[in-house]
Amino acid sequence: METDAETTAMHRTYEYRLYPTKKQAKVLRAFFNFTRDLYNAALQERIECYRKTGKTITLYDQNKSLTEIRQDKDCACAWMSVTMQRGALARVNKALKGFFRRVKAGQTPGFPRFKGWRRWKSIEITESYRLKEGRLFVKGVRGGMRTNMARHNIMPEDATLCDCTIKHTPKGYRLFVRACIGDAPTPMPKGEVKHAVGCDVGIKSFVMTDKGESFDSPNWYREAEKTLARKQQALSAAKRGTCRWRRALRAVQKWHSKVSHQRKDFHHKLAREFVKRFDLLVFEDLRIANMARNHRLAKSIHDKGWAAFIGKVAYKAEEAGKHFVQVDPRGTSQKCSGCGAVVEKSLDERTHHCHVCGLTIDRDENAARNILRLGVSHFSQEKEALDVLQTGRLAGATL
């Protein structure tokens, strides 16, 4: 979900399954192939222009050239929507901008690559499409493509469509529709906040709250490793490019997709539960990329999907008018939540025992309490908010 600060308009992306017929799927494959070729040609044009002149052409120049090409009566691309083609050019521009931005930041990024058929899985459409009665109508495709409008994810009737994306996944086609659904909800007044929670994410317990509630998540990837190993062995044994190889590739892709969907479903359900129960949600502002450099924990960290979960909590809280705060995680595990003393602990020590005040609780619960304290102090520096924290009127804030 996105919110425009000036117009206070709220945008939301809806995901649906797309069921094209065989003829419609053939046209979609042509869309994918043509936009991919256009992306590669645009990238090659920019590279050659820079080598010859030392300067690169702009997105405006390439869009202008595309318009001139489409005016030719014999042009083979005039039958499809121009917005699909402009979307491919925009992706080239975005990739190059991201490359130079990282170079200026002192990073070592790879240069944008040419896309093969396995690396081009989506097309964007901003015009020449409409969604009516559960069907998607796109220029160049005869008839409407049936979509699965799930009851729990129905778009409001007064929503204004902005753009859509068609993505090819191992389990078929999916449609992503971005729509403006009205004004952003007014956040709950700070004085009406009654229930707050501090959350510490981890590997042993996926989420531990300041009240000692533990939410564990299945290790989806770990459980699927043996099955994936067998399917990947079959893929390695097959000759590349053959029908057998393609079938084995689809089997591997489907299992990875299944694991991803299981993780996503769990994140959505748990995030919705947190947003329903609490008015103020406080999480750590983690640097997950740095944490994943630990080769012993990297696989487990990625299997949990902390960043995806925290992102879902953030947008659901905004949509519900609740408050979401992230705090610096440094020292939250080592500091005692009872007296503030620093108690050094290694990662193997799962119990916090303070030698000053004698507090003995779970390590993650102690961290969650510190996270809540930081979140409430950042949430408001007013005396009233600090009084709420000290008196414990804010549920869960009694430390």
Side-chain angles (χ1 to χ4, degrees):
M1 186 188 67
E2 301 174 3
T3 303
D4 192 330
E6 296 182 358
T7 62
T8 67
M10 185 170 62
H11 295 80
R12 184 173 179 179
T13 300
Y14 296 85
E15 179 182 355
Y16 304 114
R17 288 289 299 270
L18 190 65
Y19 299 97
T21 62
K22 290 184 178 180
K23 291 184 178 180
Q24 291 171 340
K26 184 177 180 181
V27 176
L28 287 180
R29 287 194 294 270
F31 285 163
F32 279 91
N33 291 332
F34 191 90
T35 52
R36 177 173 57 85
D37 292 341
L38 182 61
Y39 175 96
N40 292 336
L43 180 59
Q44 181 65 28
E45 183 183 22
R46 290 206 176 198
I47 294 173
E48 291 181 354
C49 181
Y50 185 81
R51 285 176 178 173
K52 294 178 180 179
T53 65
K55 297 180 180 179
T56 184
I57 55 179
T58 64
L59 176 62
Y60 174 82
D61 296 331
Q62 290 189 321
N63 281 330
K64 185 178 180 180
S65 300
L66 176 63
T67 302
E68 295 174 353
I69 293 173
R70 287 177 60 90
Q71 290 176 352
D72 187 356
K73 294 182 179 179
D74 298 330
C75 176
C77 65
W79 61 278
M80 64 184 297
S81 172
V82 67
T83 59
M84 293 185 192
Q85 300 165 352
R86 288 176 179 170
L89 299 179
R91 287 170 72 169
V92 175
N93 190 62
K94 182 179 179 180
L96 288 171
K97 278 189 174 181
F99 169 77
F100 290 115
R101 184 183 67 251
R102 295 182 182 92
V103 169
K104 289 182 180 179
Q107 302 176 6
T108 54
F111 192 79
R113 295 186 289 182
F114 294 101
K115 302 294 184 181
W117 64 271
R118 292 175 60 188
R119 293 184 178 274
W120 191 263
K121 297 295 183 181
S122 64
I123 51 176
E124 299 83 18
I125 312 172
T126 57
E127 296 176 1
S128 303
Y129 79 97
R130 59 192 176 95
L131 197 60
K132 183 179 180 181
E133 297 179 353
R135 290 184 176 273
L136 176 69
F137 296 85
V138 180
K139 180 183 177 181
V141 181
R142 180 174 295 180
M145 292 177 283
R146 186 169 61 88
T147 61
N148 180 16
M149 297 290 189
R151 288 180 296 176
H152 64 278
N153 197 25
I154 297 178
M155 191 185 308
E157 295 182 357
D158 58 345
T160 304
L161 302 183
C162 299
D163 53 59
C164 73
T165 300
I166 299 175
K167 185 175 182 180
H168 187 218
T169 68
K171 292 188 175 182
Y173 291 93
R174 288 189 176 270
L175 173 66
F176 298 85
V177 182
R178 191 171 69 93
C180 177
I181 58 176
D183 294 338
T186 304
M188 177 184 296
K190 294 183 178 180
E192 296 181 7
V193 173
K194 297 180 180 179
H195 302 282
V197 64
C199 299
D200 177 71
V201 295
I203 294 177
K204 184 179 179 181
S205 296
F206 180 67
V207 178
M208 175 70 78
T209 70
D210 60 286
K211 305 174 188 62
E213 292 182 278
S214 177
F215 298 87
D216 297 329
S217 65
N219 297 315
W220 301 278
Y221 184 76
R222 294 284 189 182
E223 294 176 357
E225 274 187 312
K226 291 184 178 179
T227 303
L228 280 170
R230 292 196 302 268
K231 294 187 178 296
Q232 287 168 342
Q233 287 172 358
L235 177 63
S236 299
K239 184 177 179 181
R240 188 180 182 87
T242 61
C243 293
R244 180 184 173 186
W245 177 82
R246 289 178 184 272
R247 285 195 299 269
L249 175 63
R250 283 195 296 269
V252 173
Q253 290 175 336
K254 284 183 178 180
W255 266 95
H256 279 289
S257 179
K258 179 180 179 180
V259 171
S260 176
H261 288 163
Q262 288 175 325
R263 184 184 299 113
K264 184 177 179 181
D265 180 69
F266 174 79
H267 288 172
H268 273 293
K269 291 177 180 177
L270 186 58
R272 176 56 60 192
E273 180 181 348
F274 272 92
V275 171
K276 284 183 178 180
R277 290 176 55 188
F278 302 104
D279 305 325
L280 172 63
L281 302 105
V282 187
F283 282 81
E284 300 168 284
D285 187 10
L286 297 172
R287 300 292 183 268
I288 297 175
N290 295 337
M291 299 171 66
R293 292 176 182 174
N294 185 336
H295 67 280
R296 295 182 180 180
L297 301 176
K299 186 179 290 186
S300 297
I301 289 173
H302 290 308
D303 193 13
K304 296 297 182 181
W306 297 332
F309 170 70
I310 294 175
K312 290 178 178 62
V313 173
Y315 90 77
K316 289 180 187 294
E318 181 184 358
E319 189 177 30
K322 305 295 183 68
H323 296 278
F324 175 82
V325 178
Q326 284 187 285
V327 299
D328 189 348
R330 289 179 294 182
T332 53
S333 296
Q334 309 297 335
K335 188 177 180 180
C336 178
S337 59
C339 62
V342 177
V343 183
E344 297 290 342
K345 296 182 286 294
S346 64
L347 287 174
D348 296 333
E349 297 180 58
R350 305 311 307 171
T351 302
H352 168 80
H353 177 72
C354 181
H355 58 277
V356 178
C357 65
L359 178 65
T360 302
I361 57 175
D362 186 272
R363 171 199 181 104
D364 294 337
E365 183 180 351
N366 176 72
R369 292 185 178 187
N370 287 325
I371 291 168
L372 176 64
R373 183 185 294 276
L374 289 173
V376 173
S377 62
H378 291 176
F379 176 62
S380 176
Q381 298 296 332
E382 299 174 3
K383 184 178 184 300
E384 180 182 357
L386 297 179
D387 290 341
V388 169
L389 175 62
Q390 294 171 0
T391 59
R393 295 206 319 269
L394 193 61
T398 304
L399 306 181

